[in-house]
Structures are given as C-alpha cells and as structure tokens.
Amino acid sequence: MWDASQLPAYEACAKAFEAKTGIKVNIIEGRDDELIERIREQVGDRQVLCALSGGVDSSVAAALVQRAVGDQLTCVFVDTGLLRKDEATQVTTLFREHYNIPLVHVQAQDLFIGALEGVSDPEVKRKTIGRLFIETFEAEAAKIGGGPEAGFVGQGKREDEERAGDKGGGPLHGLRGVEHHVAGRRAR
C-alpha cells in the first residue's frame, strides 16, 4: 500500500513534471487523509476499476484510491500511443512494481493512431480520443469482470470535467466525485 514514506518520490515526480511542462502539480498536502477516508467510506468492501491514461489526473486518482482501498483496486491502463517516448513503460513499471497495483495494460496504439489519421481539428481529436478511451476501457473492464458488480470506477478528472460528465449521458455518466479525484459508483 502507498504510504507517507513515498511522498518524497511523489514530490520529486511532481517537481520533474513541473520542470518539463511549467505546470504546477498540487500534491494535496494535508488533504490526502480526508480524501482517502471519503473514498474508503464510499467504496466499502467493493472492487474498484481505475481508468488510467498515464496522465497526472488519473495517476494521482489511482494512487489515492489504492491508499484508501488497497487490493480492491485494479487499474486499466489504456495505452493510446500518444504518450512521450518510454512513458507507457514508466507507467506500467511505476504502478506494478512501485505501488504494487494490479494493472491491465491495454495496447490500443493502433486504434487511436488510426482514428486520428488525417484529423486536424483539435476539438475533433479531443472528442475522438475521449470516446475511444472510454470505449476501450469499458471493453477491457467487461473482460476482467468489471461489470456492475465491480461497484466503482475510479477516474481522475478536473472539477470542470466532472461537472460536464454529470450532465452527459455517456458510458461513465453519473460518476460522483471526491474533489479532484473520482471514486464513483457506476450509474448502470
């Protein structure tokens, strides 16, 4: 289980990310215990599937959910082929070996690259990536017993995305959030 002794590694990762991108990562210092307890209460003894893109949002969400519910969590890493060189390997190594989180690595690079070929409109790209990510995650979740009996889907989202998702009607409609990081009951 992820514990406070690993915070320096997380902080180093956050600082490296900030140095590369100029984007400051909020480590949620002082709030993690509150968030973890809220996730633990919400999930209970049910299983959680976490949609993992390799980005900061989903990675932090997975780490928080794992701290809250331990081996009740399984991550589904949808490898879109859109990460930087060697990042997919870093994600799988980090989650499998460092955090000891069961992780299913879905190799979907050809699907995503093929769907984006010839598309130049950024909004169309964004929507295509989002739609394919959800479809790929749900197909894999169904294969590993991630039907309604799984109980929860964990997904990292910004608050504006969470509000938009609640109004939608898509496959993940109805997820309820825990601040920036979501551990939500399936709507189905």
Side-chain angles (χ1 to χ4, degrees), residues 47-157:
Q47 296 297 305
V48 179
L49 291 178
C50 185
L52 187 62
S53 68
V56 173
D57 291 345
S58 65
S59 297
V60 171
L64 282 171
V65 172
Q66 195 271 344
R67 286 179 63 192
V69 301
D71 62 5
Q72 293 166 234
L73 171 67
T74 299
C75 287
V76 176
F77 171 43
V78 178
D79 188 345
T80 63
L82 303 173
L83 295 174
R84 291 178 183 91
K85 183 179 182 198
D86 298 326
E87 276 188 324
T89 301
Q90 292 171 358
V91 168
T92 57
T93 300
L94 178 69
F95 281 87
R96 285 180 178 156
E97 296 176 18
H98 181 72
Y99 293 126
N100 296 313
I101 297 174
L103 179 131
V104 176
H105 185 178
V106 181
Q107 307 266 347
Q109 300 93 322
D110 292 343
L111 173 67
F112 281 81
I113 300 300
L116 296 172
E117 190 173 335
V119 177
S120 58
D121 183 316
E123 186 64 14
V124 172
K125 285 181 181 181
R126 185 187 68 76
K127 287 181 179 182
T128 300
I129 292 166
R131 177 183 51 79
L132 289 175
F133 187 90
I134 290 168
E135 290 172 1
T136 304
F137 169 75
E138 288 203 331
E140 192 62 32
K143 289 180 195 174
I144 61 173
E149 67 279 359
F152 286 85
V153 173
Q155 180 183 27
K157 295 173 130 184

Side-chain angles (χ1 to χ4, degrees), residues 39 42 48 50 57 61-62 65 153-158 162 175-185:
I39 293 167
Q42 191 176 15
V48 179
C50 185
D57 291 345
V65 172
V153 173
Q155 180 183 27
K157 295 173 130 184
R158 294 186 312 269
E162 184 178 334
L175 291 179
R176 295 295 180 257
V178 177
E179 297 298 323
H180 184 77
H181 312 286
V182 176
R185 182 179 291 262

